[in-house]
Amino acid sequence: MTDRNKLLAMQLALVLACATSFLLRIGRIRPDRRGRAALRADCPRVLGRHDWIVPTLNGSPWLEKPALLFWKMMNSYSIFGVSDWAARIPAAVHATAVVVGIFFFMRVSVLPANWTRR
Amino acid sequence: MIAASSAGMIGFGRGASTDMLVSAPFALAMMCWWTWHQTPKKLWLLLFYGLLGIGALAKGGGSGARGVGGRRVRRARRDGKIFLRTLSVTGFLLFAAIVLPWYLAVQHKVPQFFRCSLLSIIWNALAPISISIHNHSGITFQFFCWPHCPGRSCAASPYRGRTAGI
């Protein structure tokens, strides 16, 4: 197997591992406390009134955390429709980004720099 | 450590956790920092600050402070100047450009935002020492949190040994 094919096989294995770890039956895990609050947030209502600055919970501002989570959830809702599953997609995508990012950095930067000097 | 980290990532990634949205940029920012440390190209340092800004926009300013601090790596490498070299005016400007617009927009819309945030920070800092353990069921968690601090230092020690040439 050539180096290029080895790399492709590793990338495919990575994608499969991420898909099964982060996306398979994603709606069945109980979210944590803040995750529950985020899932209860009024993102669908905010989508309707196009106010992306102040996240709300039961109609009043919910500013315990900044708005990036809500922006991502609202994007996910607008792509996949309003559902519990769609609300969990941003966290899963971030977890996948970490795995892919670590793979990239280990391959490009960290491993050659560390291991060739010893 | 790898097994524990993987379990945590799967749990946070699947659990609609808000922590995943700060952990991901923070982890990638640390990798960018390491790449900058190995190959001193300023682009990696700017990416480091940009990712910290994204983390701060997902979870609050603590992400930036933790990242720039780099205390553990500084101690591990026994190089006190790493912190000073990490500071960058352009980086801070990039961080502010990512984070500040939303905070200012919210302050404009909800005038009590900064005052409430400040009170919340003070409350969170004082809560572990101000609430009686007998009157608050949730506070037990705070006491169980403390033992993990020496654990984290122990976890960093193999890395420290390796980098010190042991």
Side-chain angles (χ1 to χ4, degrees), chain A residues 21-22 29 95 98-99, chain B residues 1-15 17 20 23:
Chain A
S21 303
F22 301 133
I29 294 265
V98 172
V99 174
Chain B
M1 279 179 78
I2 289 171
S5 304
S6 304
M9 271 186 61
I10 292 171
F12 279 124
R14 293 174 63 90
S17 174
M20 200 63 235
S23 305

Side-chain angles (χ1 to χ4, degrees), chain A residues 58-104:
Chain A
N58 300 324
S60 53
W62 190 71
L63 296 164
E64 192 178 322
K65 292 292 159 201
L68 192 67
L69 171 68
F70 298 93
W71 295 341
K72 290 189 173 173
M73 277 170 67
M74 286 193 283
N75 277 326
S76 179
Y77 282 151
S78 58
I79 293 168
F80 300 106
V82 178
S83 68
D84 200 25
W85 179 84
R88 292 159 187 254
I89 288 290
V93 168
H94 274 74
T96 307
V98 172
V99 174
V100 172
I102 288 174
F103 178 80
F104 169 78

Side-chain angles (χ1 to χ4, degrees), chain A residues 21 24-25 31 35 53 66-67 69 98, chain B residues 14-16 18 24 34-35 57 102:
Chain A
S21 303
L24 198 67
R25 300 175 73 183
I53 293 175
L69 171 68
V98 172
Chain B
R14 293 174 63 90
T18 54
W34 181 259
T35 311
L57 201 54
W102 179 78

Side-chain angles (χ1 to χ4, degrees), chain B residues 124-159:
Chain B
N124 280 319
L126 294 180
I129 54 171
S130 63
I131 303 173
S132 165
I133 190 170
H134 304 295
N135 297 331
H136 201 286
S137 57
I139 201 66
T140 318
F141 173 73
Q142 300 276 357
F143 288 99
F144 280 115
C145 274
W146 288 109
H148 88 289
C149 296
R152 284 196 326 194
S153 297
C154 292
S157 56
Y159 172 74

Side-chain angles (χ1 to χ4, degrees), chain A residues 26-68:
Chain A
I26 191 176
R28 308 229 171 154
I29 294 265
R30 192 169 168 265
D32 69 354
R33 184 177 66 83
R34 289 204 185 93
R36 280 199 296 278
L39 289 176
R40 281 203 312 271
D42 305 334
C43 289
R45 238 184 288 169
V46 174
L47 264 182
R49 60 167 201 267
H50 300 291
D51 175 12
W52 287 52
I53 293 175
V54 183
T56 56
L57 182 62
N58 300 324
S60 53
W62 190 71
L63 296 164
E64 192 178 322
K65 292 292 159 201
L68 192 67

